[in-house]
Amino acid sequence: MPTLRLRVLPDRFVLAHDPGATFPEDDEWVALVRAPEGLTVLRHASPWGGDGERWAGFYAEPHGLDVPGVLASLLGPLADASVPVFVASTFHADLVLVPQDRLEGAVDALRDAGHAVAVP
């Protein structure tokens, strides 16, 4: 499994699920995933609160799509530490979200697994 250099993003995120939508009504989203059960929308959390559970994001240095085990090297230690995750993958890397109140434990689990984690 690869060892990664990760950074915790300074932003916080919220997730929403809309079973009837095919596209959000606004353009304030970060990522969209359309599946048979509806649309999942990832947005930046409002600094004023009130828009749901906050998630913190880990982002790794870009890597090729041909590098095996990258996501497994992150998800395994988080699962072993009982930290829930939501993942949004890009062409270059993966955005691994954990509940904001579990961030400290997630950082510890990833560091214990050998990853370098920078926290702002």
Side-chain angles (χ1 to χ4, degrees):
M1 298 268 181
T3 301
L4 303 173
R5 289 189 351 194
L6 305 163
R7 61 186 166 107
V8 175
L9 299 175
D11 297 338
R12 294 299 178 257
F13 303 90
V14 292
L15 292 166
H17 176 253
D18 189 340
T22 58
F23 202 79
E25 295 179 14
D26 60 40
D27 61 355
E28 299 298 318
W29 49 270
V30 175
L32 303 173
V33 179
R34 187 179 318 163
E37 65 275 4
L39 185 69
T40 299
V41 182
L42 173 64
R43 291 184 166 86
H44 288 283
S46 165
W48 304 282
D51 46 15
E53 180 180 15
R54 305 291 173 121
W55 293 73
F58 292 92
Y59 199 71
E61 290 183 327
H63 55 80
L65 295 174
D66 60 343
V67 180
V70 171
L71 198 51
S73 74
L74 301 174
L75 300 184
L78 294 172
D80 291 344
S82 299
V83 176
V85 300
F86 180 86
V87 177
S89 295
T90 72
F91 189 83
H92 298 288
D94 304 294
L95 174 60
V96 177
L97 301 176
V98 301
Q100 180 175 315
D101 63 353
R102 304 293 301 274
L103 178 58
E104 186 176 331
V107 168
D108 291 343
L110 292 170
R111 285 179 176 159
D112 289 348
H115 299 294
V117 182
V119 180

